[in-house]
Amino acid sequence: MQRLKTLIPARRFSFHRPSFQHSGFSAQPSYAERDDLEDQILVEGRANARAAILNRPSFLNALTTSMVARLKRLYESWEENSDIGFVLMKASGKAFCSGGDVTTLYHILNEGKSEEGKEFFKTLYKFVYLQGTYLKPHVAIMDGFTMGCGAGISVPGMFRVVTDKTVFSNPEAQLGFHPDAGASFYLSRLPGYLGEYLALTGDKLNGVEMIVCGLATHYSLNARLAWVEERLGKLMTDDPSVIETSLAQYSDLVYPNKGSIVSKIDVIDRCFSHDTVEEIIDALEKEVAESYDEWCVTTLNKIREASPLSLKVTLRSIREGRFQTLDKCLVREYRISLCGISKRVSSDFFEGVRARLVDKDFVPKWDPPSLREVSNDMVDCYFSPLDEVEPELELATTLREPYM
């Protein structure tokens, strides 16, 4: 088996005391589903490595505040333990992580528990920053659905393994929210304007496409993951090059198919390079008129399904992310998220979750209902610094240096 010839060297995403369940990494972790927190984040390992396992398969491993808090505690303790050379993250079931548990968040916020909602984002973003500045090699096995903040807790790490079962997306704008948990950092660093396309449409990428655009570092068939984990479980190292070599031994040579989004990169750049959402839509409509391309029609429909306000907030967030370090992106995303759950400008987040995940009528009533009615002042509100009553997100930047 060969590794993708054109693959860039594995590295951090930067574009230019627990008891153990088994003696080694297992390809099939326990599927037991109890409410106990330790069962939702399992731990496996040998003397020189640890694995964190997202174990909430009935909910597609959607993240809660307590799950992320446990991950953060584990990762901090593992980083300080000199006997641990590297860390691995994987999951139970058919999903790696479908994102945050926004349905639970929706109900919590509707019950008036706004502080609990804020705590979710604060805890999540702090873990994303820890992941993005982690001092030890990290391997994320992104097998299955990898959506929203599920990408945020894995993409910033050193090694990202995808499979023929991987499905990646950032569908937040269609939920009346915005791509967060570091999404404005990693999406803005994709080739051309692919990041804007993915953020505004919520379109999906498969594992091969993730390799091609740099979101992933290694590709392996799902059927071979047991071999990959067995190999990693035998390593006694903290050397990234040794881990890289081991992963490469089980990586496959892959090419995108003719229908891949990669084949549309030229039209994506033509249309999504514009400064406003309105101009992007105009460019797509022009493409439809000139080429009768069904892909452009589908893309337009996806954009029109999203919250108009979220589209404008999302585009600005991705554009600002191009010139900011990871910490700055997370601080900005925290401001946007808190504004979104406060209903100060709009209740689109609540309406999007209601329509798509709670009532499932799939007919959200966005407010404002059109791009024309979204004012600059409304968008600016999402990016405004928080006041003294509402402190900004504080990250350990003096201890953990951010990077571009």
Side-chain angles (χ1 to χ4, degrees):
M1 288 176 282
Q2 292 177 287
R3 185 165 178 261
L4 182 65
K5 300 295 186 185
T6 59
L7 186 59
I8 55 175
R11 49 184 163 77
R12 292 196 185 279
F13 193 92
S14 57
F15 286 105
H16 10 141
R17 162 168 346 200
S19 59
F20 306 117
Q21 306 299 320
H22 303 284
S23 61
F25 296 143
S26 167
Q28 300 294 332
S30 170
Y31 278 50
E33 268 246 75
R34 293 179 298 213
D35 291 333
D36 190 87
L37 172 59
E38 292 191 2
D39 289 328
Q40 294 181 6
I41 302 292
L42 301 178
V43 174
E44 291 180 352
R46 282 187 176 174
N48 198 234
R50 297 293 184 270
I53 307 166
L54 309 181
N55 188 48
R56 203 173 173 230
S58 295
F59 298 90
L60 301 180
N61 297 314
L63 297 172
T64 63
T65 304
S66 56
M67 290 172 69
V68 182
R70 175 164 162 79
L71 282 170
K72 185 172 180 289
R73 290 193 300 270
L74 288 170
Y75 272 62
E76 288 171 339
S77 68
W78 293 341
E79 189 176 60
E80 295 172 0
N81 189 337
S82 60
D83 292 329
I84 296 175
F86 68 97
V87 174
L88 180 143
M89 183 186 289
K90 59 179 181 174
S92 304
K94 63 181 180 181
F96 171 72
C97 177
S98 61
D101 188 344
V102 294
T103 304
T104 295
L105 182 62
Y106 166 88
H107 290 299
I108 286 173
L109 293 169
N110 277 332
E111 292 168 5
K113 301 175 182 177
S114 60
E115 293 304 315
E116 291 187 27
K118 295 173 187 177
E119 189 63 25
F120 170 74
F121 293 107
K122 184 185 301 181
T123 307
L124 172 63
Y125 297 176
K126 286 185 175 183
F127 178 67
V128 171
Y129 188 68
L130 173 65
Q131 176 72 285
T133 57
Y134 209 58
L135 301 180
K136 293 183 177 180
H138 184 268
V139 180
I141 299 181
M142 301 154 70
D143 183 43
F145 297 113
T146 303
M147 305 168 70
C149 64
I153 65 169
S154 52
V155 168
M158 187 176 292
F159 301 106
R160 288 95 60 192
V161 180
V162 292
T163 74
D164 51 313
K165 303 293 186 181
T166 301
V167 179
F168 168 95
S169 71
N170 280 101
E172 291 90 344
Q174 281 67 32
L175 285 173
F177 205 54
H178 68 110
D180 67 327
S184 67
F185 180 81
Y186 63 76
L187 289 179
S188 65
R189 283 154 177 78
L190 296 183
Y193 293 88
L194 180 60
E196 282 87 341
Y197 166 78
L198 294 172
L200 297 178
T201 66
D203 201 8
K204 302 176 181 65
L205 297 180
N206 59 34
V208 174
E209 291 165 332
M210 291 179 70
I211 285 286
V212 173
C213 73
L215 280 168
T217 59
H218 297 80
Y219 181 97
S220 176
L221 294 177
N222 168 273
R224 296 195 184 112
L225 284 182
W227 301 347
V228 174
E229 294 186 35
E230 181 180 12
R231 175 60 178 157
L232 292 174
K234 293 177 180 179
L235 295 180
M236 296 288 291
T237 186
D238 60 0
D239 185 345
S241 66
V242 175
I243 299 170
E244 155 71 18
T245 299
S246 296
L247 290 172
Q249 289 176 344
Y250 295 96
S251 293
D252 298 295
L253 182 66
V254 292
Y255 299 97
N257 60 41
K258 291 183 179 180
S260 169
I261 189 61
V262 177
S263 68
K264 297 293 185 180
I265 197 67
D266 288 340
V267 66
I268 286 174
D269 286 352
R270 282 198 304 272
C271 296
F272 287 83
S273 59
H274 291 283
D275 293 335
T276 68
V277 178
E278 291 91 338
E279 289 173 327
I280 289 172
I281 290 174
D282 287 344
L284 285 165
E285 289 177 339
K286 182 180 178 181
E287 290 285 339
V288 171
E290 293 179 353
S291 66
Y292 304 101
D293 190 336
E294 187 63 30
W295 176 86
C296 291
V297 175
T298 301
T299 299
L300 277 168
N301 290 336
K302 289 176 180 176
I303 292 176
R304 287 168 175 155
E305 289 174 357
S307 154
L309 178 57
S310 291
L311 288 172
K312 290 199 171 187
V313 170
T314 293
L315 181 60
R316 177 169 165 181
S317 183
I318 299 297
R319 292 286 163 82
E320 290 190 6
R322 286 177 175 263
F323 308 100
Q324 294 179 329
T325 53
L326 176 61
D327 62 307
K328 298 297 184 184
C329 287
L330 290 168
V331 168
R332 171 175 32 74
E333 291 172 1
Y334 185 68
R335 293 173 180 172
I336 298 172
S337 294
L338 262 55
C339 186
I341 66 173
S342 71
K343 300 185 181 181
R344 188 163 71 248
V345 178
S346 171
S347 58
D348 275 4
F349 168 69
F350 295 85
E351 178 62 10
V353 175
R354 180 207 64 77
R356 300 192 185 280
L357 300 176
V358 179
D359 296 340
K360 298 183 180 179
D361 57 32
F362 300 98
V363 188
K365 296 177 176 60
W366 302 125
D367 179 27
S370 69
L371 288 168
R372 178 176 50 81
E373 296 170 87
V374 179
S375 69
N376 291 335
D377 287 344
M378 295 174 73
V379 176
D380 288 343
C381 187
Y382 283 81
F383 294 82
S384 299
L386 302 178
D387 55 34
E388 294 179 358
V389 179
E390 191 66 69
E392 299 277 4
L393 178 68
E394 294 185 4
L395 300 170
T397 53
T398 55
L399 301 176
R400 318 182 71 88
E401 184 178 358
Y403 57 93
M404 287 299 293

